[in-house]
Amino acid sequence: MNRITQCLQDLKADGRKALVSYVVSGDPSLGATLPVMHELVEQGVNIIELGVAFSDPMADGPVIQLGHERALANGVSLRATLAVVKEFRQTNQYTPIVLMGYANPVLRMGYSEFADAALDAGIDGLLTVDLPPEESIELNLELKRVGIEDIYLIAPTTKPERIKKIASLAGGFLYYVSLKGVTGAGHLDIDSVAAKVSEIRELTDLPLCVGFGIKDAATAKSVGQLADGVVVGSALVSVMGDCAGASGKDVAKALVDVVKPLRLGLDEL
Amino acid sequence: MNINDNSKNQPEIAVDYKSFPDALGRFGDYGGRFVSETLIPALDQLDELYTRLKDDSTFQAEFDHDLAHYVGRPSPLYYAERLSRDVGGAQIYLKREDLNHTGAHKVNNTIGQALLAKHTGKKRIIAETGAGQHGVATATVAARLGLECQVFMGEEDVRRQALNVYRMKLLGAEVIPVTSGSKTLKDAMNEAMRDWATNVDDTFYIIGTVAGPHPYPLLVRDFQSVIGREARRQSLEQIGRLPDALVACVGGGSNAIGLFHPFLEDKDVSIYGVEAGGDGVETGRHAAPLNDGIPGILHGNRTYLMEDEDGQIIETHSVSAGLDYPGVGPEHSWLKDIGRANYVAINDQEALTSFRRLTQIEGIMPALESSHAVAYAEKLARDLDKDKVIIVNLSGRGDKDILTVAEIDGIKV
């Protein structure tokens, strides 16, 4: 069984919620990513989303854009990111890893070559922000060929028939984007999240993680009670921005203050 | 150069050009809708609206009325006799889009999209701009319709195009400098997309070129096709036949597709799109993805791009801010692949030489973008007989570039 599905099943059996964290590979330094990944697991993160930097991150807000820019300035690439995951897998065989990014770097490598390389590195899922279902068939088939889950976004504006279409292609979990707009945007309207989540639940049995706008224990908790997991991104990448020049170990430590309260918040549910 | 060799200008099988893009916005392998899920309903809505209005006679009448009475169409098809004689070869005709209100072809599209915006009832308009021509054309229609207008512009372009920035401000628009990435047109487009994703309920995004997610490449093409329809009619009326060749500059490619599209089925008409060669295509410092790029995904569509081996978009170089873009409209990528259009490049120096020549011997100062088309037409004309006819899209006037040219001349204005 794919690690993502296993992880979410185990958590559900324990009555716990998944904490999903997003950091950009190569941010704030190439060397920081591996220690950061291990520290995130140490602090109770269940699924790691690793951002693959792109020169034009059109769906991301200013905080994550800067993360992408820092990582690219450090010379990160899709291949370098796969290498970091391979290294991570030498000591961690259980934490699911999802790559999250934009289509062009994957297209440039070639969908088929990427699928093989990702499987070899120990990747469990891929979320390509700019490949909605109409555009993702080719890559979706390659991912299915190697057993990597294709993860899709659902937006507040996504209509029921589209949700069904997306769910028919998706694996692992569905990622509900709880706000209109870009990552790191404004405040969270929990009532509208609740309404949309129950709509999605009626249309699919796939686990549901909710992201965009989760930054502290309170938001994690209120969203966590509606979903199978919560995704935290900008709050972590923002810390990375303050870590210029810090050692990998120090960067990892700096994240503890953000992650720990989220885990505690979720575990109160 | 033999432009009568039709094998070079025609696909091997007959193509029904009017049937593209398909329902998913594809021109062969190109185009489509590569955006985050958040934007899909907004694009669907725009697609439905446009599908409904494009064949609506009231909407078309409104559009035609504005083009005639506000833009000043039809624009002349002018025989540049002195230039033709000076070059020594084919007859060069200029389609005078520089004479439009606001000084470029851009306004044809902003008029059309503003009419669409009016139908949606949205009160806020946003746009991206590079050289500032599309920003000015958008600010202009927004002023006329009393709509709030914000224009995203790379910080680097704000500096390079100070005059247009001030024009937009005078028109009541707010110019928002974009500081991310390379601080140019592509980053302005990223930022406009982000804004649109956030404010989609009350905001209409007017894209300035035939790129972006479907239906933008379709609707911008349709609005700009007035250029080619007029040129075709004028050619028949004034010359008594169709031209032998069309030449237009290609950044995103809206003026070019506007001229080309109504001629695609005229298989004896050769088509040339001219990209910005910058320091020369061989140097890698240029903005010519159709000459030296590969197909990739950016700004909502699959098209030829300038990128590195990791799939990261690279910086482009051109003396002309309007051509300084790493992608190109997907229909051009398709026309290249099927062989209906030829895409060539003209470097900065050649464009500047043609800028001066046209200014001096015809009294017409072309935009630096359009100067690329003029330069290629001169090359083409030289090798052709005097009875051949070339139509060049003079897509904009050069007033906005005076400071750039003065700076190159070492003159402080």
Side-chain angles (χ1 to χ4, degrees), chain A residues 52-62 65 69 72 75-79 103-109 111 129-135 153-159 162 166 177 179-182 185 212, chain B residues 24 26 31-42 44 48 179-182 186-187 189-191 193-195 197-201 294-300 302 305 307-314:
Chain A
V52 179
F54 182 48
S55 51
D56 295 82
M58 217 171 70
D60 284 295
Q65 283 172 47
E69 284 183 19
L72 287 175
V76 79
S77 65
L78 178 53
R79 286 172 205 279
N104 204 48
V106 181
L107 178 69
R108 183 65 195 242
M109 182 185 266
Y111 289 163
V129 184
D130 52 352
L131 288 187
E134 294 80 6
E135 307 293 356
L153 296 173
I154 289 179
T157 45
T158 310
K159 294 182 178 130
R162 263 190 90 75
I166 290 169
V177 174
L179 295 166
K180 278 183 202 166
V182 294
F212 281 32
Chain B
L24 294 173
R26 302 223 176 96
R33 205 180 252 182
F34 294 84
V35 295
S36 170
E37 189 58 33
T38 320
L39 284 175
I40 296 285
D44 277 342
E48 279 158 30
T179 56
S180 56
S182 60
K186 79 174 177 70
D187 309 284
M189 199 153 176
N190 291 336
E191 209 51 42
M193 283 282 181
R194 289 173 186 130
D195 183 291
T198 311
N199 302 301
V200 66
D201 291 337
I294 73 161
I297 295 164
L298 178 71
H299 290 153
R302 189 162 190 276
L305 297 176
E307 59 176 60
D308 66 16
E309 68 276 13
D310 293 321
Q312 307 294 343
I313 307 308
I314 58 176

Side-chain angles (χ1 to χ4, degrees), chain A residues 254-266:
Chain A
L255 294 177
V256 174
D257 289 343
V258 183
V259 180
K260 207 174 217 166
L262 298 177
R263 179 75 266 170
L264 291 173
L266 287 179

Side-chain angles (χ1 to χ4, degrees), chain B residues 157-216:
Chain B
D157 291 332
V158 169
R159 190 188 60 76
R160 288 194 287 194
Q161 302 287 336
L163 275 179
N164 270 343
V165 172
Y166 192 57
R167 277 172 90 188
M168 286 184 266
K169 286 180 183 163
L170 287 173
L171 287 161
E174 187 188 350
V175 177
I176 302 173
V178 175
T179 56
S180 56
S182 60
K183 306 177 176 62
T184 60
L185 176 57
K186 79 174 177 70
D187 309 284
M189 199 153 176
N190 291 336
E191 209 51 42
M193 283 282 181
R194 289 173 186 130
D195 183 291
W196 197 39
T198 311
N199 302 301
V200 66
D201 291 337
D202 67 349
T203 297
F204 191 96
Y205 178 18
I206 298 188
I207 291 185
T209 191
V210 283
H214 178 67
Y216 281 104

Side-chain angles (χ1 to χ4, degrees), chain A residues 109-120 139 142-143 145-146 148:
Chain A
M109 182 185 266
Y111 289 163
S112 180
E113 188 186 339
F114 168 80
D116 291 329
L119 179 71
D120 176 62
L139 179 56
E142 287 295 338
L143 296 177
R145 175 175 65 79
V146 298
I148 289 178

